Amino acid sequence: MADAILADIKKESCMLRRKPGLAVILVSHDAASQTYVRKKEEAAVMLGFVHRQYTLDEGTDEAGILSLIDKLNSDDEIDGILVQLPLPPHIDESKVIERISPEKDVDGFSPVNVGRLMIGKDAFIPCTPKGIMRTLSYYGIATSGSNVVIIGRSNIVGKPMAALMMQKGIDATVTVCNTKTKDLRAHTLSADIVIVAAGHPGTIDESYVKDGAVVIDVGMNRIPDSSKKKGFRLAGDADYDSFEGRDVSITPVPGGVGLMTVAMLMDNTLESARRRQKL
Ligand code: GUN
């Protein structure tokens, strides 16, 4: 599905007057962030987009990042600006995100896009929730009238996911759980769709879901494993193996939501390029 979407994006982007341009800023030595940024670069290069990567030293001050964003905001070759999160603790994440022009905010994290999504206006939709909506639609999974339980309330996944699911036309009944939720299982057992974005392996297993349910696993946890070349293996937030033999559809990790997140970033960048070329 992700490959098919990327192939479509490639075709569409060839019809523009100029190539879509994506700028990615990474201010971290965090190994996972480096991997995510590399995947984004690979996709952008494969599509023939203009791709600029700014890898800043962990000690970079806030003013340096803000002035780079200012430059990219007024750079006509660049349609999308992405600052990989998390940022080091001495940098104010909100200040950085708010500096990105909403017209180039292909992550959909700026207050303007968050607000527009919330009130059902045209907006850049954060890539992971957008990818999940596309996945459900691709596999013909109905949302109208369904009970959707989201585990996790982050700005990147949980909150925008809830906003999308609540929208008119999507029409799900949404429950958003967090670490203080009493009896998580009682909530998930009534769900037609469980979206688990808790950031902890084993947050749910097969005993948390009813027959016929759909589980979307957003987790991306590195589990130490000396038998692997890298010294770790990736695991989602759901105990995937426990679902064996159950009548449940579940997305794998790796090879699931992550691929769609990257594809949706490319989709948002193409969309921005189109808007900025007034097509
Ligand atoms: N960190 C984890 N997920 C994301 C994402 O989708 N975008 C950015 N910018 N940072 C992230």
Side-chain angles (χ1 to χ4, degrees), residues 48-79:
F49 286 12
V50 170
H51 177 271
R52 287 204 231 134
Q53 160 113 25
Y54 300 87
T55 306
L56 307 181
D57 190 81
E58 189 113 14
T60 303
D61 62 2
E62 202 173 87
I65 303 174
L66 295 177
S67 73
L68 173 58
I69 293 173
D70 288 342
K71 261 205 311 222
L72 295 168
N73 279 338
S74 53
D75 185 331
D76 281 340
E77 208 183 34
I78 294 301
D79 300 293

Side-chain angles (χ1 to χ4, degrees), residues 121-277:
K121 299 267 188 210
D122 217 17
F124 283 119
I125 309 294
C127 305
T128 301
K130 184 174 176 176
I132 292 170
M133 297 309 291
R134 284 275 189 101
T135 305
L136 295 173
S137 136
Y138 184 90
Y139 287 102
I141 295 157
T143 53
S144 181
S146 68
N147 290 331
V148 174
V149 171
I150 300 166
I151 308 173
R153 54 175 157 189
S154 68
N155 292 337
I156 295 180
V157 183
K159 283 182 204 163
M161 194 73 246
L164 282 169
M165 283 291 183
M166 282 191 283
Q167 273 184 348
K168 229 178 168 55
I170 304 294
D171 304 323
T173 302
V174 184
T175 304
V176 183
C177 299
N178 61 65
T179 45
K180 303 288 190 305
T181 297
K182 287 182 191 149
D183 200 355
L184 178 64
R185 192 188 269 105
H187 290 282
T188 56
L189 276 174
S190 72
D192 303 297
I193 302 170
V194 178
I195 299 167
V196 55
H200 291 287
T203 300
I204 62 166
D205 61 26
E206 65 84 25
S207 71
Y208 282 68
V209 301
K210 66 179 186 184
D211 284 339
V214 171
V215 177
I216 305 286
D217 193 345
V218 185
M220 193 69 82
N221 306 291
R222 293 182 167 208
I223 312 289
D225 185 341
S226 55
S227 73
K228 302 279 180 206
K229 210 166 73 195
K230 289 181 176 160
F232 65 88
R233 65 184 166 84
L234 280 180
D237 287 350
D239 177 359
Y240 189 87
D241 292 341
S242 74
F243 290 86
E244 178 86 44
R246 284 288 310 274
D247 173 24
V248 170
S249 302
I250 177 167
T251 61
V253 178
V257 168
L259 298 178
M260 288 299 284
T261 296
V262 173
M264 292 302 104
L265 174 64
M266 301 303 131
D267 196 54
N268 282 350
T269 305
L270 169 66
E271 183 54 39
S272 177
R274 269 208 202 106
R275 281 189 206 162
R276 289 176 14 87
Q277 294 176 38

Side-chain angles (χ1 to χ4, degrees), residues 33 36 40 82-86 107 109 126-128 156-157 261:
S33 288
Y36 299 149
K40 293 169 186 180
L82 177 151
V83 178
Q84 186 66 27
L85 303 178
D107 251 334
F109 292 166
C127 305
T128 301
I156 295 180
V157 183
T261 296

Side-chain angles (χ1 to χ4, degrees), residues 1-74:
M1 171 177 45
D3 284 346
I5 290 171
L6 289 173
D8 277 349
I9 293 172
K10 192 167 188 170
K11 255 192 266 164
E12 301 248 340
S13 63
C14 289
M15 293 194 260
L16 300 179
R17 277 194 292 276
R18 64 166 179 78
K19 295 174 187 173
L22 175 65
V24 176
I25 303 173
L26 173 66
V27 199
S28 164
H29 296 307
D30 176 54
S33 288
Q34 287 176 355
T35 305
Y36 299 149
V37 161
R38 198 182 59 245
K39 302 269 181 211
K40 293 169 186 180
E41 176 180 11
E42 284 166 4
V45 169
M46 188 275 283
L47 295 176
F49 286 12
V50 170
H51 177 271
R52 287 204 231 134
Q53 160 113 25
Y54 300 87
T55 306
L56 307 181
D57 190 81
E58 189 113 14
T60 303
D61 62 2
E62 202 173 87
I65 303 174
L66 295 177
S67 73
L68 173 58
I69 293 173
D70 288 342
K71 261 205 311 222
L72 295 168
N73 279 338
S74 53

Side-chain angles (χ1 to χ4, degrees), residues 74-133:
S74 53
D75 185 331
D76 281 340
E77 208 183 34
I78 294 301
D79 300 293
I81 303 171
L82 177 151
V83 178
Q84 186 66 27
L85 303 178
L87 289 170
H90 66 280
I91 294 166
D92 182 343
E93 225 161 71
S94 323
K95 214 161 152 185
V96 169
I97 290 169
E98 286 179 33
R99 194 69 158 238
I100 300 170
S101 160
E103 288 76 41
K104 296 191 177 185
D105 168 35
V106 285
D107 251 334
F109 292 166
S110 81
V112 169
N113 283 309
V114 174
R116 291 181 66 86
L117 164 62
M118 205 65 202
I119 58 173
K121 299 267 188 210
D122 217 17
F124 283 119
I125 309 294
C127 305
T128 301
K130 184 174 176 176
I132 292 170
M133 297 309 291

